[in-house]
Amino acid sequence: QVQVAESGGGLVQAGGSLRLSCTASGLTFDEYTMGWFRQAPGKEREGLSCLSRSGSRVTYADSVKGRFTISRDNAKNTVYLQMNSLKPEDTGMYYCATRNYFYCSDSSSEYKYWGQGTQVTVSS
């Protein structure tokens, strides 16, 4: 059974940093692109970043570009999201998802397996 699990969320002050981790099991990790999504209270789910299966292709949403960095360690079946200069508007539930294709997409409909989410709260 495929399992995707995020960790690393928490409560931080504005300007602080967090690193999220996502570990996938039950699949061949290096056959999947990995994406990070966020859903803020009362808003639609937003694609934040994705990283191709080889790690050579990457995308970022304008809202996080320059502040967030995605990376992956295929040997550990893990993808990371380093979040710096956090803002209150970054508050939300963060999800990790898998896509069985070579290249990135920011569309949630193109991702098959999802984690349960990890909460990030940024205080003013």
Side-chain angles (χ1 to χ4, degrees), residues 5-9 19-23 36 78-81 96 118:
E6 306 94 338
S7 62
R19 189 180 75 159
L20 306 183
S21 298
C22 172
T23 299
W36 284 99
T78 300
V79 63
Y80 306 95
L81 187 67
C96 174
T118 185

Side-chain angles (χ1 to χ4, degrees), residues 22-38:
C22 172
T23 299
S25 62
L27 52 77
T28 303
F29 186 75
D30 62 4
E31 294 182 354
Y32 290 82
T33 64
M34 302 296 296
W36 284 99
F37 295 80
R38 176 176 70 197

Side-chain angles (χ1 to χ4, degrees), residues 13-58:
Q13 292 182 322
S17 298
L18 285 173
R19 189 180 75 159
L20 306 183
S21 298
C22 172
T23 299
S25 62
L27 52 77
T28 303
F29 186 75
D30 62 4
E31 294 182 354
Y32 290 82
T33 64
M34 302 296 296
W36 284 99
F37 295 80
R38 176 176 70 197
Q39 188 161 22
K43 296 184 178 180
E44 296 181 353
R45 186 169 296 183
E46 175 189 19
L48 299 179
S49 182
C50 69
L51 189 61
S52 67
R53 52 197 281 181
S54 68
S56 63
R57 309 277 184 170
V58 62

Side-chain angles (χ1 to χ4, degrees), residues 35 47 60 70 93:
Y60 294 100
I70 190 171
M93 187 70 71

